[in-house]
């Protein structure tokens, strides 16, 4: 007979085996498992619980690591109070509970079974649970997707066909009939009816593609035109596929069709708009650069801009404006962005710009900030205003010249009058004075009418010194070859000759009865021809250098040499004034005068 000790030992061994089976079972189940012990305050209210045991799946379902020994609020500090209250109720009543409930603190949804371990009044509860968050989300997505599909179909946004080859039945929803310009119930749903509503020009392609799709695993996708309500031409997109039986025989074709007329019209308008914009961008006679507002770097530039700066397109992309010489430095570039953010547009009236080759330009810049898709961009329109600035300077100079010439004209008239008074009787004086004043006016008119365009040098001299025409060949001697001046050269040299003639009449060789002026010019030959012109006075009063430099000397010096990019020299020798101008012939003479095509 076994002793009591032996029986006890066998029972303990059996219990241990059962516990091992129990633990092995819990470790291998898919669900999460844990054994918890409720924690109460002095008043007997459940305030927390501690994890006593947990299987391997526990962490996968809860995301809690190393839970055993921790309290629930240690593992999840913001755990909702309802979990503690629910488990305390199971422990106190001994009534098992099954529920599905979520935890915002854990961002999970659980299905859960809670059982009191030792019956009512126990403080231990066993939990078996599963994280069903992803499954419920997928189910909800599926439900929502099905609902959206149902609403879309009911609203007539999609036409549906379902054709059974076994029964020959062809099922259409109402939207399919209406999309084809038919009222539901007035026509038979069939392939023939469908094809009768396809635009004749698209019919061969639709029939061919649909026939090709009628094979195992075949698909149909095509955009084509149909005859809709009142035979209006509409664009549709049809997409379908086929099902086959076990032997590979096609038994069903189904699909959907949507009206894409408006989309195609919008796409076409967008393509036209993009084409127009690109043509304007490529052909504009202003420089255009597009910058990313965040990085301030150039992302595009039109051909005019690359030509203006002397960079290739790829060399401009990725640079900031200050790196291409448009703004002073990075700080000024950032300041422009800040101002754009507050005003959306800024304008720079004139900025100095130096091309890659060192050519200086004056430019006007208009910068606009706007959204392009999902990013802010800056469009800078850059206009070369160099010619405009030169024109403005030219107008200003001409106004000064007109004022100066008006004063000189009076002096010339006075000098002419003085010289003419010495010639014969009062009647002769009157006639000669009148003729010379008329000639002076004619010379002025000639310059204005011709605008100094392609002026032959001897004609220019005659026009500028017309009031001395009686002396040309005697007291005014011309010596030089035929030479046609460019507009700039004619302007600069013409002004200088006019000024020299005025001064000679007032103070120099033409202010007495004996003085002479020799005007000579020449063009040297060679690879780089040179042009030179000289004004030489002799026989006039003793020359005294001027005590101040006025507008007249500016015309003779700086403006004359600037007009031909040459050098001008004047000498106030006692024997008579001499003036010379030297420059590359290409800067003075027209191409035809240089013998170039």
């Amino acid at each position: 007979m076994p002793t009591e000790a032996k029986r006890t030992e066998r029972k303990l061994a059996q219990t241990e085996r059962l516990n091992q089976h129990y633990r092995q079972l819990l470790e291998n189940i898919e669900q999460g498992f844990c054994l918890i012990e409720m924690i109460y305050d002095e008043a007997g209210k459940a305030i927390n619980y501690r994890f006593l045991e947990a299987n391997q799946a526990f962490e996968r379902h809860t995301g809690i690591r190393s839970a055993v020994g921790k309290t629930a609020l240690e593992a999840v500090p913001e755990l909702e109070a309802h979990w503690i209250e629910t488990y305390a109720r199971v422990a106190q009543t001994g009534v098992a509970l099954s529920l599905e409930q979520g935890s915002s603190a854990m961002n999970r949804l659980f299905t859960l079974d809670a059982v009191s371990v030792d019956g009512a009044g126990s403080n231990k509860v066993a939990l078996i649970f599963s994280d069903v968050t992803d499954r419920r989300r997928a189910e909800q997505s599926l439900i929502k997707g099905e609902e959206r599909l149902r609403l879309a179909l009911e609203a007539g946004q999609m036409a549906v066909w379902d054709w059974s080859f076994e029964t020959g039945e062809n099922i259409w929803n109402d939207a399919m009939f209406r999309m084809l310009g038919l009222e539901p119930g007035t026509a038979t749903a069939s392939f023939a009816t469908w094809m009768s509503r396809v635009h004749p020009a698209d019919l061969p392609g639709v029939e061919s593609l649909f026939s090709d799709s009628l094979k195992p695993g075949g698909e149909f996708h095509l955009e084509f035109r149909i005859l809709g309500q009142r035979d209006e031409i509409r664009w549709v997109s049809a997409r379908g596929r086929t099902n086959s039986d076990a032997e590979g025989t096609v038994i069903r074709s189904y699909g959907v069709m949507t009206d894409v007329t408006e989309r195609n019209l919008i796409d076409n308008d967008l393509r036209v708009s993009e084409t127009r914009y690109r043509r304007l961008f490529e052909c504009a006679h202003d420089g255009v650069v597009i910058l990313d507002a965040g990085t301030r770097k150039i992302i595009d530039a039109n051909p005019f801009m690359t030509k203006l700066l002397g960079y290739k397109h790829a060399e401009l992309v990725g640079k900031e404006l200050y790196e291409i010489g448009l703004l002073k430095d990075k700080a000024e570039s950032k300041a422009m962005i800040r101002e754009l953010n507050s005003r959306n547009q800024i304008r720079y009236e004139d900025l100095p710009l130096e091309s890659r080759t060192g050519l200086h330009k004056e430019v006007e810049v208009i910068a606009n900030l706007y959204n392009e898709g999902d990013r802010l961009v800056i469009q800078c329109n850059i206009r070369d205003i160099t010619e405009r600035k030169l024109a403005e300077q030219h107008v200003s100079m001409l106004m000064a010249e007109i004022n100066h010439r008006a004063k000189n004209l009076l002096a010339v008239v006075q000098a002419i009058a003085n010289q003419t008074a010495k010639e014969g009787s009062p009647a002769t004086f009157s006639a000669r004075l009148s003729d010379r004043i008329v000639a002076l006016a004619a010379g002025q008119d000639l310059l204005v009418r011709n605008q100094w365009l392609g002026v032959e040098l001897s004609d220019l001299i005659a026009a500028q010194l017309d009031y001395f025409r009686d002396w040309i060949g005697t007291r005014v001697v011309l010596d030089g070859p035929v030479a046609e001046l460019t507009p700039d050269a004619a302007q600069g040299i013409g002004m200088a000759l006019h000024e020299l003639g005025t001064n000679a009449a007032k103070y120099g060789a033409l202010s007495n009865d004996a003085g002479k002026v020799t005007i000579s010019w020449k063009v040297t030959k060679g690879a780089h021809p040179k042009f030179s012109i000289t004004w030489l006075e002799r026989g006039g009063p003793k020359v005294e250098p001027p005590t101040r430099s006025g507008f007249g000397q500016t015309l003779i010096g700086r403006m004359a040499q600037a007009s031909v990019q040459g050098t001008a020299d004047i000498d106030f020798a006692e024997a008579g004034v001499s003036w010379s101008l030297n420059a590359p012939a290409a800067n003075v003479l027209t191409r035809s005068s240089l013998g170039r095509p």
Side-chain angles (χ1 to χ4, degrees):
M1 295 286 297
T3 65
E4 186 66 27
K6 290 290 185 178
R7 285 195 295 270
T8 302
E9 184 178 343
R10 281 199 299 270
K11 287 182 180 179
L12 289 173
Q14 289 175 344
T15 301
E16 179 61 27
R17 285 195 297 274
L18 286 173
N19 285 337
Q20 288 177 354
H21 290 315
Y22 156 75
R23 283 192 292 272
Q24 186 176 6
L25 174 66
L26 291 179
E27 288 298 333
N28 291 323
I29 63 174
E30 177 66 25
Q31 294 96 332
F33 165 79
C34 65
L35 179 64
I36 62 173
E37 181 180 42
M38 303 306 303
I39 300 173
Y40 301 91
D41 63 11
E42 294 179 354
K45 179 182 177 182
I47 57 173
N48 204 344
Y49 57 85
R50 187 181 307 280
F51 296 104
L52 301 179
E53 293 183 33
N55 69 349
Q56 293 181 0
F58 176 89
E59 182 179 332
R60 184 172 69 253
H61 285 277
T62 63
I64 301 173
R65 295 183 177 180
S66 305
V68 174
K70 294 180 180 178
T71 67
L73 294 178
E74 287 174 339
V76 185
E78 297 182 2
L79 183 69
E80 296 84 355
H82 65 75
W83 294 105
I84 300 173
E85 294 167 358
T86 298
Y87 299 153
R89 189 163 58 251
V90 172
Q92 292 166 6
T93 64
V95 178
L97 182 67
S98 295
L99 58 87
E100 182 174 298
Q101 192 159 314
S103 169
S104 298
M106 301 173 71
N107 193 27
R108 294 172 189 253
L109 178 69
F110 299 99
T111 57
L112 178 140
D113 290 294
V115 180
S116 174
V117 173
D118 296 321
S122 169
N123 67 340
K124 294 181 180 178
V125 177
L127 306 176
I128 295 179
F129 57 92
S130 296
D131 176 7
V132 295
T133 309
D134 292 339
R135 188 175 74 197
R136 289 292 182 264
R137 286 174 179 170
E139 289 172 354
Q140 289 299 317
S141 270
L142 180 60
I143 291 170
K144 290 179 180 179
E146 290 175 347
E147 180 65 14
R148 284 195 295 268
L149 178 59
R150 184 183 66 79
L151 290 173
L153 294 177
E154 288 180 355
Q157 296 175 0
M158 248 180 228
V160 178
W161 81 84
D162 193 338
W163 184 7
S164 171
F165 295 119
E166 293 181 310
T167 65
E169 184 180 22
N170 204 329
I171 300 173
W172 291 357
N173 68 342
D174 288 352
M176 183 75 173
F177 285 97
R178 293 194 178 98
M179 196 172 290
L180 295 174
L182 305 170
E183 283 299 319
T186 63
T188 302
S190 68
F191 181 71
T193 302
W194 184 11
M195 292 302 104
S196 71
R197 302 302 295 169
V198 176
H199 191 283
D202 296 342
L203 184 58
V206 175
E207 288 180 328
S208 175
L209 187 60
F210 193 83
S211 297
D212 289 344
S213 73
L214 300 181
K215 56 186 178 182
E219 292 191 351
F220 174 83
H221 181 213
L222 184 66
E223 287 192 7
F224 53 92
R225 288 165 293 178
I226 57 149
L227 303 177
Q229 298 291 336
R230 296 178 296 279
D231 288 341
E232 178 188 11
I233 296 175
R234 308 287 294 177
W235 279 94
V236 294
S237 174
R239 185 184 292 272
R241 62 179 53 184
T242 58
N243 283 349
S244 306
D245 60 17
E247 287 73 32
T249 303
V250 175
I251 59 174
R252 180 182 173 216
S253 172
Y254 58 95
V256 296
M257 190 163 68
T258 55
D259 189 325
V260 294
T261 306
E262 300 304 323
R263 187 201 72 190
N264 283 1
L265 289 174
I266 292 171
D267 288 348
N268 184 64
D269 288 346
L270 181 60
R271 284 192 295 271
V272 170
S273 178
E274 288 176 345
T275 300
R276 287 174 179 168
Y277 168 78
R278 179 51 60 177
R279 285 175 180 169
L280 287 172
F281 184 77
E282 298 289 346
C283 300
H285 287 281
D286 284 349
V288 182
V289 291
I290 310 296
L291 298 92
D292 185 297
T295 64
R296 304 184 303 279
K297 295 186 181 296
I298 296 172
I299 56 178
D300 201 359
N302 71 338
F304 189 90
M305 193 65 195
T306 61
K307 181 180 179 182
L308 184 66
L309 290 172
Y311 285 94
K312 294 179 180 178
H313 183 274
E315 294 172 327
L316 283 177
V317 172
K319 285 184 168 58
E320 293 194 43
L321 292 182
Y322 75 89
E323 293 179 295
I324 61 172
L326 195 58
L327 294 175
K328 182 180 178 182
D329 51 28
K330 181 177 286 189
E332 192 168 288
S333 181
K334 290 181 178 179
M336 182 189 79
I337 301 297
R338 287 196 298 271
E339 189 172 357
L340 273 172
N341 283 327
S342 63
R343 295 174 50 192
N344 291 331
Q345 183 186 88
I346 55 177
R347 182 190 190 101
Y348 298 94
E349 290 296 332
D350 53 80
L351 287 175
L353 178 67
E354 183 175 320
S355 72
R356 194 177 193 179
T357 59
L359 185 63
H360 291 271
K361 297 283 187 179
E362 294 286 336
V363 295
E364 175 183 80
V365 179
I366 300 175
N368 292 277
L369 180 70
Y370 61 90
N371 279 303
E372 186 180 78
D374 58 352
R375 66 174 173 179
L376 278 174
V377 298
I378 300 166
Q379 177 176 314
C380 292
N381 288 66
I382 301 161
R383 178 168 298 167
D384 183 355
I385 59 171
T386 307
E387 291 187 5
R388 190 184 80 190
K389 297 292 286 187
L390 289 173
E392 290 172 353
Q393 293 173 4
H394 180 59
V395 168
S396 177
M397 181 268 294
L398 286 180
M399 293 300 294
E401 169 65 5
I402 289 171
N403 181 54
H404 183 69
R405 284 199 175 200
K407 294 177 180 178
N408 282 348
L409 192 59
L410 293 175
V412 169
V413 170
Q414 184 177 16
I416 290 172
N418 290 336
Q419 290 295 318
T420 306
K422 301 174 183 178
E423 301 177 3
S425 64
T428 302
F429 163 74
S430 177
R432 286 184 177 275
L433 179 61
S434 177
D435 290 344
R436 287 175 177 171
I437 291 176
V438 169
L440 180 63
Q444 299 298 311
D445 187 53
L446 173 66
L447 290 174
V448 173
R449 285 201 314 270
N450 291 343
Q451 299 181 13
W452 299 280
L453 297 174
V455 178
E456 213 289 315
L457 180 53
S458 59
D459 293 337
L460 179 67
I461 295 171
Q464 292 293 342
L465 305 181
D466 190 67
Y467 40 88
F468 300 126
R469 62 181 175 181
D470 290 347
W471 296 339
I472 292 178
T474 56
R475 296 185 62 186
V476 178
V477 179
L478 309 184
D479 181 21
V482 173
E484 187 176 60
L485 306 184
T486 64
D488 287 344
Q491 177 177 296
I493 293 173
M495 290 179 180
L497 291 173
H498 180 275
E499 186 63 26
L500 289 165
T502 300
N503 290 339
K506 292 164 65 176
Y507 318 111
L510 301 182
S511 65
N512 61 17
D513 296 332
K516 290 185 177 182
V517 174
T518 300
I519 306 172
S520 59
W521 62 93
K522 62 182 178 179
V523 180
T524 63
K525 303 296 184 181
H528 303 286
K530 301 290 185 181
F531 171 87
S532 63
I533 183 171
T534 302
W535 172 288
L536 180 62
E537 298 183 26
R538 288 294 182 264
K542 179 182 177 181
V543 175
E544 295 183 5
T547 57
R548 64 183 182 85
S549 178
F551 182 69
Q553 287 196 40
T554 299
L555 290 174
I556 295 169
R558 182 166 57 84
M559 286 190 173
Q561 63 186 17
S563 69
V564 295
Q565 299 178 38
T567 57
D569 297 295
I570 187 165
D571 183 17
F572 295 98
E574 288 188 4
V577 172
S578 65
W579 170 86
S580 64
L581 179 66
N582 297 274
N587 297 347
V588 181
L589 304 179
T590 62
R591 296 181 67 85
S592 59
S593 188
L594 287 169
R596 297 175 182 173

